[in-house]
Amino acid sequence: MTSYQPRLAIIGGGPAGLTLGRLLYSRGVHVTIYELRSKPSAEDLNKPCGVLDLHTESGLSAIRECGLWEDFVPLTGECGEQDKIYQYDGELLLEDAADESEEPKRPEISRHALINLLMSNIPQDMIKWNHKVTAVTSRAVESGNTEITLDFVDQDKETFDFVIGADGAWSKARTLLTSVKPDYAGIQFITLDIPSVGAKYPHMAKLLGEGTMMSLAFHNAILGQRGAGGAARIYLAISTPTEEFGVASGLGGMKAAEAKSLLLNDGGLFARWTAAFQEIIAVGCDEATATNPNDTLDIKPLYMLPVGHRWDAKTGVTLVGDAAHLMTPFAGEGVNLAMGDCQQLSAVIVKAVQAGNINAAEFQRTLEPLIKEFENTMLTRAGEKAEETWRNKGMMLDSDNGSAKLVELMAMYSSQADGH
């Protein structure tokens, strides 16, 4: 008798969903990925984007298990591992040497390059683009199993034996497991891109360095990353208790070039930064409007799930990545935890599929204790990282002198690594 092949779905085609899809496909397990966006074009993938720092024990381990290491390494040269930390007045407090080893310890890759790498190594009929999930529901059926149904915008419903929510902060799959929703984290992020910064603004490129640049003061921060195509991505972090800060300040309705004056002259924003940093903000605003004349300033509130958040395991559904443990970016763990989740979960699913179950009910009974153990391990690990992230956020942005505090923290980590 042929063993039962379960109906499996992943909601979300970001790094987590695609990593899990690749891992399952490479082990002969069929799964369908549903992504609300259109399939990205070559033009989309060439646009400036954020850069991801992958860690050995999680993100890089998943890349290796995906069988994509050799393809991954050539994609990591656009943002170096160098760190530069400045005071708001331009004083350089720390400059790490760039890692020039043949195999970088914590290589950076653009989000678009990672998406394209994973997407290109999954059969395209596994991914259903333009499928926005509006609801995820479950019901017990007479045959003894639980069916999980996905509702879509302008698409027919589809039913599965097991659904993985890799659908981010506002996960629809999460509603089956918990009523807890993300809380506002007290931070707003403004994103600006400066294309071809080295060619157009060499003095600015020198200030930014070859990797990551940070200047933290007065509860705010200017953060820079060198990115794909010689671009620089600038993040302006603003501490505010006002969740609707974009509306309240007026910044959310302005074009970036219009917002420049307020950003540079408001004492609660970036008026106290030195001229070199103000130039970065001014150029970033002008470039943003020149590139996308009709777009308003890209300003978004940051959210997080409660530190230590957990749920009771339920039949037919689990979560990975931000859907499971959304946190702020102040420890660089988000994508790493997500990819590590997927590496562990793929092993669990493969084990259940290969158990030779004869029907959906038996498959779910085999899978349930494995998922319970997976979720417990995942949430314990994520809770530790969420605690670290929250501490880092407080250290970096809850004082007038975040840069100096960050340098102290990095010195402590370096001393620990050296065994002192």
Side-chain angles (χ1 to χ4, degrees):
M1 179 182 293
T2 303
S3 61
Y4 177 75
Q5 297 302 307
R7 300 166 296 173
L8 307 175
I10 299 169
I11 308 173
L18 293 174
T19 297
L20 183 57
R22 166 63 190 178
L23 288 167
L24 293 175
Y25 166 69
S26 67
R27 286 158 178 75
V29 176
H30 178 75
V31 62
T32 304
I33 302 171
Y34 294 92
E35 169 55 39
L36 62 87
R37 291 164 293 192
S38 301
K39 181 179 179 180
S41 65
E43 182 181 2
D44 293 331
L45 294 169
N46 282 327
K47 291 178 179 177
C49 64
V51 178
L52 305 170
D53 166 17
L54 299 191
H55 303 173
T56 300
E57 72 282 0
S58 48
L60 297 182
S61 179
I63 287 291
R64 290 182 186 277
E65 193 164 326
C66 283
L68 299 177
W69 181 256
E70 297 301 322
D71 296 323
F72 167 81
V73 171
L75 303 175
T76 63
E78 293 176 311
C79 182
E81 295 184 52
Q82 181 188 40
D83 289 321
K84 298 181 79 173
I85 301 175
Y86 292 91
Q87 288 281 31
Y88 71 97
D89 61 4
E91 179 188 358
L92 181 62
L93 299 182
L94 181 144
E95 180 176 8
D96 282 347
D99 188 335
E100 298 179 356
S101 57
E102 222 172 273
E103 191 171 293
K105 297 180 182 67
R106 296 177 75 164
E108 309 257 4
I109 184 170
S110 78
R111 181 183 176 88
H112 287 169
L114 179 62
I115 290 288
N116 192 40
L117 174 66
L118 294 166
M119 184 179 71
S120 300
N121 286 279
I122 296 172
Q124 290 309 292
D125 60 2
M126 272 182 59
I127 309 174
K128 293 192 176 183
W129 304 98
N130 299 305
H131 276 65
K132 181 177 180 178
V133 175
T134 58
V136 182
T137 56
S138 68
R139 70 183 186 98
V141 295
E142 292 182 0
S143 52
N145 59 299
T146 297
E147 290 188 335
I148 309 297
T149 299
L150 306 186
D151 286 12
F152 302 96
V153 173
D154 300 326
Q155 307 283 349
D156 292 336
K157 297 179 180 182
E158 297 194 40
T159 300
F160 298 91
D161 303 314
F162 188 63
V163 170
I164 303 100
D167 47 341
W170 306 105
S171 170
K172 297 297 184 182
R174 191 195 298 128
T175 60
L176 284 184
L177 294 167
T178 175
S179 61
V180 174
K181 296 180 180 179
D183 297 319
Y184 173 54
I187 305 292
Q188 305 277 330
F189 257 35
I190 294 172
T191 303
L192 303 167
D193 290 307
I194 305 177
S196 305
V197 67
K200 296 172 69 174
Y201 309 102
H203 64 292
M204 201 176 294
K206 183 177 180 181
L207 179 73
L208 292 169
E210 296 301 318
T212 299
M213 182 281 296
M214 293 172 277
S215 178
L216 308 104
F218 314 120
H219 304 271
N220 296 336
I222 303 172
L223 312 170
Q225 282 185 329
R226 297 302 294 272
R233 169 154 284 195
I234 308 300
Y235 297 102
L236 307 180
I238 300 169
S239 298
T240 171
T242 306
E243 185 175 357
E244 300 297 329
F245 174 77
V247 174
S249 66
L251 287 168
M254 296 180 181
K255 294 180 181 179
E258 297 170 342
K260 175 174 61 176
S261 177
L262 179 57
L263 290 169
L264 297 180
N265 295 307
D266 189 312
L269 297 176
F270 299 97
R272 288 180 277 185
W273 262 261
T274 193
F277 287 118
Q278 289 212 338
E279 183 188 14
I280 290 174
I281 295 172
V283 168
C285 288
D286 289 339
E287 290 281 357
T289 297
T291 303
N292 299 292
N294 297 320
D295 289 356
T296 55
L297 185 70
D298 183 356
I299 178 168
K300 293 183 175 66
L302 299 188
Y303 293 91
M304 58 181 288
L305 285 164
V307 174
H309 169 61
R310 307 180 84 88
W311 60 81
D312 294 328
K314 294 181 181 176
T315 302
V317 62
T318 195
L319 307 172
V320 293
D322 285 349
H325 41 69
L326 178 68
M327 61 190 73
T328 59
F330 298 107
E333 290 290 351
V335 74
N336 286 287
L337 284 171
M339 295 175 74
D341 295 346
C342 294
Q343 187 177 10
Q344 301 301 316
L345 180 57
S346 66
V348 164
I349 294 172
V350 169
K351 184 175 181 179
V353 169
Q354 293 179 346
N357 303 289
I358 62 172
N359 55 40
E362 189 172 322
F363 167 72
Q364 289 179 341
R365 284 194 294 271
T366 300
L367 185 60
E368 279 181 19
L370 300 176
I371 290 298
K372 186 173 183 179
E373 182 179 358
F374 158 75
E375 289 179 345
N376 182 59
T377 301
M378 172 183 67
L379 293 173
T380 298
R381 179 174 62 242
E384 294 169 355
K385 296 300 184 182
E387 185 72 41
E388 177 188 355
T389 298
W390 185 247
R391 286 197 308 270
N392 286 355
K393 178 261 181 189
M395 176 268 300
M396 295 167 73
L397 293 171
D398 289 354
S399 77
D400 285 343
N401 198 10
S403 285
K405 290 181 178 294
L406 179 58
V407 170
E408 290 174 8
L409 180 68
M410 294 179 72
M412 181 188 73
Y413 285 156
S414 178
S415 177
Q416 291 174 350
D418 292 339
H420 297 149

